[in-house]
Structures are given as structure tokens and as C-alpha cells.
Amino acid sequence: TGRKKLHTAPVGQVFRLRPFHVLVATGGGYAGYRKYEDYKLEQLEKRGIEVPVKLASEWEVALYKSVPTRLLSRAWGRLNQVELPTWLRKPVYSLYIWTFGVNMKEAAVEDLHHYRNLSEFFRRKLKPQARPVCCLHSVISPSDGKILNFGQVKNCEVEQVKGVTYSLESFLGPRICAEELHFSQAPTANSFQHQLVTKEGNELYHCVIYLAPGDYHCFHSPTDWRVSHRRHFPGSLMSVNPGVARWIKELFCHNERVVLTGDWKHGFFSLTAVGATNVGSIRIYFDQDLHTNSPCYSKGSFNDFSFVSNNNKEGIPMRKGEHLGEFNLGSTIVLIFEAPKDFKFHLKAGQKIRFGEALGSL
């Protein structure tokens, strides 16, 4: 007939679907579905309708973990460091400001052309008078954000949101020796919780603060204390927004986090910076050896570093309100500390709070 022959390759050669691609597509699609479900829950909460707790099953958590969030977060971090042309900076940053409700009047530099890349814009500093530090209360908020939960730690379980808990020991890891923490050891007890309490009559308290993408991304010292030890847990980088925190039990124990422990005038004190999707970068200003979201990731591991040495018996002294560290987008701060039984929080679950405002006092 004079027609040219059409040569076709076998179907298997055209569509080379590998397990990695299937996991990414399936996991990504499911993560998108969960985002939509979270949005619906937020709308119900705004209307005052109580949302029942529905925890994820093991296969749902495994599917979510199959999404390469660590790799995506590293890629996002590199993208954020790309210098933008001067003419493009204002449109890009203005879109972000409009989307997340950023108040640029509080920024130390309001001129959008000043920020060379998205990373600099995310980590913008505030005007000194924008966040006055409360002097009347012993513990202040270390960051801007939303209060997810607070209260006493009971039965070695901590609430990440109402009705959803995680293990205190899994979150903090094995107890650090008393000599390293530089305060006296409590009487031997079976409970990990009681082993952290150093003074008779005291209790353990916790507070969870969620930083949204539009919040100020630096965090500060919540009180006067001494940091003796840093424990870094490499881990997943799942979203930590309130909807996901309500869905996945022990979410904070799955995710990468940096635990700073030490003591204040009432005993044990800790501040934990929890990583999240696109927030693999956690920086502690006085800890130059810390490198988060490293490609060398060993599941279930952690590494310790002590700030107490022969030359430095006191650790790192921190004053209330002093700069402590920063995220590269937004995430979660968890405070777990010891205090007398008459310690009172001045908070409501779900309220917005700003750095420097009171969390609680005696």
C-alpha cells in the first residue's frame, strides 16, 4: 500500500512504573486528601461545632510516611535560598503576605526589596518594640503561634491536642544523668515522669505552640534557665498543623525534633523545636554543631551533645526573652517543665499568642 510501518515499543518499556513513583503518587494524593479534610474540620471549629477525634490507622500513617517529605523539604530549602530579581521580590512576597496574613508593619525592615530570597523573608526580624517581654510572669511564650494544648503531664502521657496523646519518654528520649543536667537527683521511681521531677511537691507541666507559615519564625527563651544538653532526633517531616495533630497519635514523636534540656529555679526545664514538612531546618544560635534534615538519616536514632564541660560547669545561661533559635518556615514548640503545684497557666486552648506574652506563673 506504500504506507510507512509504525514501530511500537512494548508497553512495559513505555510505562516504567517503579515502586518509588507509585509511593510518591499514592502518598502525595492521600496527603492532599487529608489537607482537604483538615480544611473542613477547621471550618467546623470556626462555627463552634465540636469535632470528634478520629485517629489514623497504622497503614494510613505508613502511607503518609512514604511521601519523601525530607527530600522535598531539602529541595524547598534550596529553592528558598535562590536570589530573586529585584523586580520580582515585591510581587512574590506580597502574594505570601496576602495568603498568610503577615503583618509587615512589625518587621524591622518593611521594604520588601531588602529580602534577597524567600528564606530571608521567612526569617525576618521584628522591631524591638513590637514584642514587649512580660516581666510579671515567670514563663512567657517563646514564639508567636496558636496554643494547641497545655496543662499537667499525667501518667507519662502528654496531649498534643485535646484527646490525642504521646508518650513523654518517647518524645524526650532516655533520661539524661543527673550530673550532666547539673541538679540533684529525685528519689528513684518507676515512672519516667517522676524521675524528671527533682523537688518534692512539684509537678510536670506542658504547653504546645503551633507556628503557622505567616507567624514570626524566630523563637526565644521562655524563662531564665540554663541549657545543659541537646538531643537531636532525625525523623519524618510530616505536617504538624492542628488537623494532622488531631489525626496522628504521637505525631511529635515521629517527626524530627531538637530537645533542649536543663534547669530553672524550680527544677527540670525543656524546650523542644519540632520539625515539619518544608521545615527541616531548625537552627539553635549557640549550637553550631547542629545540622537538621541531613541526608544521613538513621530511623529511630538520636544524637546527644552536652553543653556542660570541665571548662563550662554551668551550661548555656539563657535570659527570659533572649534569642534562642529559628525555623525556616513554621512548626511547633513544646515546653515541658517542672514547677510547684500552684503554677497556673494564663491561657485558653486555641488562642493566638505572641512572643513575650505570659504563659503562666506562680
Side-chain angles (χ1 to χ4, degrees), residues 100-220:
F100 296 108
V102 178
N103 183 5
M104 283 303 293
K105 292 183 179 179
E106 298 178 332
V109 180
E110 296 184 41
D111 182 12
L112 298 181
H113 296 100
H114 169 80
Y115 303 100
R116 294 173 298 175
N117 51 51
L118 282 166
S119 182
E120 285 189 2
F121 178 72
F122 291 149
R123 295 179 287 107
R124 63 193 176 277
K125 298 295 187 290
L126 299 181
K127 294 173 181 174
Q129 67 274 19
R131 295 289 187 276
V133 175
C134 177
C135 300
L136 300 177
H137 296 84
S138 52
V139 183
I140 62 167
S141 175
S143 66
D144 289 7
K146 177 181 179 181
I147 301 296
L148 294 189
N149 215 310
F150 63 92
Q152 278 192 23
V153 177
K154 298 180 180 179
N155 302 319
C156 290
E157 292 283 326
V158 187
E159 280 194 320
Q160 59 191 28
V161 294
K162 185 177 180 181
V164 182
T165 63
Y166 57 93
S167 164
L168 178 65
E169 187 170 6
S170 297
F171 182 69
L172 296 179
R175 184 170 180 264
I176 306 157
C177 65
E179 292 79 8
E180 196 170 327
L181 284 179
H182 202 65
F183 50 74
S184 61
Q185 186 173 357
T188 303
N190 295 326
S191 166
F192 178 82
Q193 175 181 335
H194 286 92
Q195 291 176 20
L196 295 178
V197 177
T198 64
K199 298 179 181 179
E200 188 175 353
N202 282 1
E203 298 286 349
L204 272 187
Y205 297 86
H206 78 282
C207 182
V208 184
I209 305 171
Y210 167 68
L211 288 75
D215 288 327
Y216 168 56
H217 292 80
C218 296
F219 50 93
H220 300 245

Side-chain angles (χ1 to χ4, degrees), residues 271-291:
L271 180 148
T272 302
V274 183
T277 309
N278 296 334
V279 197
S281 175
I282 302 171
R283 182 183 174 195
I284 305 297
Y285 294 138
F286 56 75
D287 189 355
Q288 301 303 314
D289 295 323
L290 175 66
H291 300 286

